[in-house]
Amino acid sequence: MAPSSSSGLTFKLHPLVIVNISDHYTRVKTQLNPPPSVCSSGNGSNNGEAMLQESPRVYGCVIGVQKGRTVEIFNSFELLYDPSSQTLDRPFLEKKQELYKKVFPEFYILGWYSTGSDAEESDMHIHKALMDINESPVYVLLNPAINHAQKDLPVTIYESELHVIDGIPQLIFALTSYTIETVEAERISVDHVAHLKPSDGGSAATQLAAHLTGIHSAIKMLNSRIRVLYQYLAAMQKGDIPCENSLLRQVSSLLRRLPAMESERFQDNFLMEYNDKLLITYLAMITNCSSTMNEMVDKFNTAYERNTRRGGRTAFM
Amino acid sequence: MEGASTIARKTWELENNILTVDPPDSASDSIFHYDDAAQAKVQQEKPWASDPNYFKRVQISALALLKMVVHARSGGTIEIMGLMQGKTDGDTIIVMDAFALPVEGTETRVNAQADAYEYMVDYSQTNKLAGRLENVVGWYHSHPGYGCWLSGIDVSTQMLNQQYQEPFLAVVIDPTRTVSAGKVEIGAFRTYPEGHKISDDHVSEYQTIPLNKIEDFGVHCKQYYSLDITYFKSSLDSHLLDLLWNKYWVNTLSSSPLLGNGDYVAGQISDLAEKLEQAESQLAHSRYGGVPASSHRKKEDEPPLAKITRDSAKITVEQVHGLMSQVIKDILFNSARQSNKSSSDPSDPEPMITS
């Protein structure tokens, strides 16, 4: 099993990469196992429904940027790899790299990805092959098995480390932790697709409901996490669980971080922004009122037009 | 408490005609299968040639949407463009994937330049090798900040495309409005052939268009129609996205829509002010003209002041939503004011820092 990494690099993964890998895998899988409707149309249906192929392994490259000790993985693309001969299609890789460089000039190859349940020995070959492009590539592994009891994202990131085993320096995979990083636009579209929210405005009430529901779910998650922490601490206090000082230190530092912002300037800015928004609301209400007034005046004038045919003056205004 | 919230949710769902889509299982993944023979057959038959309104719906995959929105946002205020790959299914165009093209600022050019074509060919070839078998089925570009519609140049480009590269779809994304409103602003369009008269009872959804673009919009808005967009994802996608929420909720809570879009909002408000001035001068004329202008207007046009009111309401609603997020965060994280203030940096979340 892979030990934890000790390189001290922080990894940030964008959701686009995860969706990319999942799409690649789904494509290859459905192309290998055509759906029953196509089979029955009678062209080449020798595989039939009985023989369901094993989940194929797909391979690809991940690209992104590395700034100092932070590695941020933005995007990915497919690779051609022949598992039987264990050769990587080099010209294809270079071609793809060139194409992606044109559109995303700041990104470069950070590593590679694959699907499967665990890292295997043969993966080291690909890893070593990529080492001439990036001297320390990362390996992103996605487990495509759908397990509904799972609570955690089935994506693991491995780094390679040189360890001396039995007197021979060998490269082994070491597990690293990562965080999910996102930009606002990405978050909105992921949210949109994940929950299939109504895409057009609807009334103001539904927009409000949608917005608040999102925040509500996030707060619920926060609450449940805090509750877990609280129960853990209560158990520690009672003596059910041995005291773990490092954890206590972390919790204490977390608590000291509240309140999050305490300065005078923050308060001033916050209140100013609050007032600005209220002013905008006020202006909108005035516009609304004046528009309604205007319509009323128009209707009034139309209704009393008879009185103004002679002379140029309107009856009341 | 559980009972009340389920009732509330059911009422909301009923109000919005939310169809509960069964969670995609592996049977529905069949949409990902590319059937070469069926596609070739449809290409020969060309059912769209006889009916300009043939394609009515668009289905976009989760991956394509994500890629397009991220690409559009990365362009900032510059328009970007790219191509979409997919297939057709009856009267639906299905978009499976999208990729960016290395061209910039296409508003002044009718067609992408030669090196973009080369890129397109190269990319399609490598894609076919990698197992993405679909053909190019449309193009997308962004209108940062000014809404989803086709400009004059876009209309002529699309008409050309629909002559030589059928079936073809045009998609427009507005990344600025997406971030500001908190929902994806996207539109899919197909143009009518030259000389086709749009039926008068066709009502399009109202959009806020800035003053400097409104002429371009008005001249061409009858030359194309918009298609309904729905989204789909594979079973693995939805499983992953569900799990992603376990880590993602932090970002939802810490997002600050107000901060990222300051320029855009200021632009919207000044644009609104200009429109108000214009409307005011129009109204002044009608008063002294004697006969009110309203009697000459067609029933479907709203008086300009009503449009302005709608625009101002929209801007306000977005701002208020943003303010609500800020206030909630303040209550959550700032109300625990204690006497022992720590001097360590406040973090997690910091409302004043753009995410």
Side-chain angles (χ1 to χ4, degrees):
Chain A
M1 275 307 297
S4 310
S5 145
S6 53
S7 64
L9 291 174
T10 36
F11 288 93
K12 293 187 179 169
L13 190 62
H14 277 248
L16 179 56
V17 179
I18 301 178
V19 180
N20 247 338
I21 304 178
S22 147
D23 175 77
H24 186 195
Y25 172 76
T26 315
R27 256 187 285 143
V28 174
K29 192 171 88 141
T30 35
Q31 211 59 29
L32 284 179
N33 308 323
S37 57
V38 179
C39 266
S40 59
S41 69
N43 47 353
S45 56
N46 36 10
N47 31 357
E49 300 83 0
M51 186 163 73
L52 204 63
Q53 298 216 3
E54 281 244 343
S55 322
R57 288 199 80 176
V58 296
Y59 302 93
C61 256
V62 292
I63 59 177
V65 273
Q66 176 165 359
K67 291 196 181 103
R69 304 198 63 89
T70 315
V71 180
E72 200 164 345
I73 304 178
F74 277 96
N75 209 339
S76 63
F77 58 83
E78 306 86 359
L79 270 186
L80 287 182
Y81 176 71
D82 194 358
S84 46
S85 61
Q86 294 190 336
T87 47
L88 196 59
D89 193 339
R90 278 272 157 195
F92 181 82
L93 170 65
E94 262 144 44
K95 187 88 211 190
K96 270 294 221 222
Q97 199 180 359
E98 197 190 301
L99 288 175
Y100 270 84
K101 257 297 193 222
K102 275 201 199 152
V103 198
F104 301 111
E106 329 74 56
F107 296 165
Y108 43 86
I109 294 189
L110 287 177
W112 63 292
Y113 70 79
S114 173
T115 53
S117 48
D118 215 347
E120 291 171 18
E121 278 304 314
S122 49
D123 294 342
M124 199 41 96
H125 294 277
I126 313 180
H127 206 85
K128 288 199 177 123
L130 278 179
M131 275 174 94
D132 56 348
I133 303 183
N134 181 333
E135 66 271 3
S136 165
V138 304
Y139 173 34
V140 180
L141 181 69
L142 176 81
N143 187 350
I146 301 180
N147 180 2
H148 289 285
Q150 227 175 358
K151 286 295 187 55
D152 223 355
L153 207 52
V155 176
T156 37
I157 299 192
Y158 296 100
E159 267 197 303
S160 58
E161 280 184 351
L162 207 55
H163 279 228
V164 177
I165 302 176
D166 303 326
I168 314 166
Q170 274 183 11
L171 276 177
I172 55 165
F173 283 123
L175 199 66
T176 49
S177 61
Y178 60 94
T179 52
I180 303 281
E181 176 76 18
T182 189
V183 284
E184 187 64 19
E186 205 174 359
R187 181 189 75 79
I188 294 176
S189 34
V190 167
D191 213 19
H192 194 90
V193 183
H195 302 125
L196 289 176
K197 277 201 275 240
S199 62
D200 51 14
S203 67
T206 55
Q207 275 182 335
L208 185 64
H211 187 242
L212 288 180
T213 317
I215 298 189
H216 171 73
S217 336
I219 296 181
K220 246 191 347 181
M221 290 295 277
L222 180 65
N223 191 17
S224 69
R225 295 284 200 269
I226 294 179
R227 202 169 288 231
V228 167
L229 216 53
Y230 178 73
Q231 282 172 346
Y232 191 75
L233 288 175
M236 243 198 247
Q237 194 181 40
K238 265 198 279 180
D240 294 339
I241 309 175
C243 262
E244 202 181 308
N245 281 328
S246 62
L247 200 74
L248 285 175
R249 273 198 294 271
Q250 283 181 352
V251 174
S252 161
S253 75
L254 188 69
L255 285 174
R256 273 182 206 284
R257 285 206 203 138
L258 296 176
M261 290 286 275
E262 188 88 44
S263 66
E264 264 300 310
R265 278 183 60 191
F266 169 70
Q267 278 294 91
D268 287 343
N269 272 329
F270 187 68
L271 288 174
M272 197 154 59
E273 201 171 346
Y274 201 106
N275 283 333
D276 282 343
K277 302 303 169 250
L278 291 177
L279 182 65
I280 293 180
T281 321
Y282 184 51
L283 282 175
M285 289 312 295
I286 292 183
T287 320
N288 203 3
C289 283
S290 61
S291 152
T292 324
M293 272 283 255
N294 185 49
E295 276 178 43
M296 197 205 82
V297 167
D298 277 343
K299 287 184 185 150
F300 190 85
N301 282 344
T302 327
Y304 287 89
E305 211 183 340
R306 293 168 281 172
N307 301 343
T308 67
R309 208 156 288 165
R310 285 180 228 165
R313 269 207 241 129
T314 57
F316 285 88
M317 313 285 157
Chain B
M1 189 165 101
E2 209 29 84
S5 64
T6 24
I7 292 174
R9 196 194 68 201
K10 285 205 195 323
T11 329
W12 183 70
E13 279 182 11
L14 211 62
E15 252 179 47
N16 289 292
N17 300 325
I18 303 230
L19 298 153
T20 314
V21 179
D22 296 311
D25 53 2
S26 25
S28 62
D29 280 350
S30 57
I31 201 173
F32 284 86
H33 177 80
Y34 182 71
D35 191 357
D36 217 355
Q39 288 295 306
K41 187 160 151 277
V42 169
Q43 277 285 70
Q44 283 190 325
E45 284 174 6
K46 292 199 209 308
W48 48 79
S50 46
D51 180 9
N53 260 325
Y54 181 71
F55 288 114
K56 298 199 178 42
R57 285 169 299 154
V58 178
Q59 279 197 299
I60 304 186
S61 78
L63 178 66
L65 179 69
L66 203 51
K67 277 193 178 173
M68 292 196 282
V69 173
V70 168
H71 181 213
R73 184 62 173 165
S74 68
T77 46
I78 307 180
E79 294 91 358
I80 50 88
M81 76 180 268
L83 293 175
M84 308 186 289
Q85 294 174 297
K87 52 193 181 181
T88 59
D89 181 14
D91 66 347
T92 311
I93 300 187
I94 304 178
V95 176
M96 311 286 305
D97 196 7
F99 61 92
L101 284 178
V103 284
E104 266 189 10
T106 56
E107 287 303 307
T108 52
R109 270 172 278 183
V110 178
N111 274 318
Q113 286 178 338
D115 57 330
Y117 279 130
E118 200 186 304
Y119 182 93
M120 196 167 90
V121 168
D122 280 342
Y123 196 94
S124 302
Q125 276 180 339
T126 53
N127 256 354
K128 287 223 160 45
L129 287 176
R132 156 85 59 211
L133 308 160
E134 288 88 9
N135 295 319
V136 171
V137 85
W139 65 299
Y140 69 91
H141 66 287
S142 67
H143 277 179
Y146 51 98
C148 296
W149 45 280
L150 290 181
S151 68
I153 307 200
D154 296 338
V155 167
S156 33
T157 316
Q158 178 62 9
M159 282 212 266
L160 208 65
N161 284 330
Q162 284 189 205
Q163 271 190 310
Y164 297 116
Q165 291 190 39
E166 280 282 54
F168 220 69
L169 180 69
V171 162
V172 182
I173 297 187
D174 187 344
T176 323
R177 284 200 189 171
T178 299
V179 174
S180 168
K183 60 178 179 64
V184 182
E185 288 278 331
I186 187 173
F189 308 102
R190 275 179 61 85
T191 51
Y192 291 120
E194 194 87 31
H196 177 98
K197 279 278 177 292
I198 191 174
S199 51
D200 268 332
D201 54 354
H202 171 86
V203 177
S204 52
E205 197 187 302
Y206 174 75
Q207 281 194 70
T208 317
I209 317 265
L211 212 53
N212 52 354
K213 306 267 181 191
I214 207 162
E215 221 179 278
D216 198 6
F217 171 73
V219 168
H220 298 279
C221 65
K222 301 255 182 253
Q223 292 177 305
Y224 55 89
Y225 69 99
S226 65
L227 295 90
D228 291 326
I229 303 183
T230 47
Y231 305 99
F232 66 93
K233 50 195 171 169
S234 69
S235 46
L236 184 59
D237 280 341
S238 54
H239 177 69
L240 287 174
L241 287 172
D242 279 339
L243 291 176
L244 195 61
W245 176 245
N246 280 343
K247 302 232 159 107
Y248 227 34
W249 59 272
V250 176
N251 294 84
T252 311
L253 205 51
S254 61
S255 72
S256 308
L258 284 183
L259 294 171
N261 263 351
D263 303 342
Y264 168 66
V265 172
Q268 286 285 86
I269 296 184
S270 68
D271 187 68
L272 200 61
E274 280 177 39
K275 282 192 188 156
L276 252 173
E277 276 187 31
Q278 234 190 27
E280 194 188 353
S281 54
Q282 265 183 5
L283 286 172
H285 288 161
S286 71
R287 267 197 58 176
Y288 295 121
V291 178
S294 53
S295 56
H296 291 276
R297 263 194 295 261
K298 285 189 288 204
K299 251 192 238 162
E300 46 178 293
D301 277 357
E302 289 169 300
L305 203 52
K307 282 195 191 145
I308 291 176
T309 314
R310 247 218 270 180
D311 291 347
S312 73
K314 183 161 135 7
I315 297 177
T316 312
V317 163
E318 285 173 15
Q319 293 297 295
V320 170
H321 282 179
L323 183 66
M324 275 193 283
S325 309
Q326 300 288 73
V327 169
I328 289 177
K329 281 191 282 192
D330 186 50
I331 295 175
L332 264 182
F333 299 110
N334 275 350
S335 55
R337 264 155 244 254
Q338 299 151 359
S339 51
N340 50 334
K341 282 182 244 175
S342 66
S343 52
S344 54
D345 332 320
S347 52
D348 186 53
E350 291 184 298
M352 294 305 270
I353 297 193
T354 29
S355 46

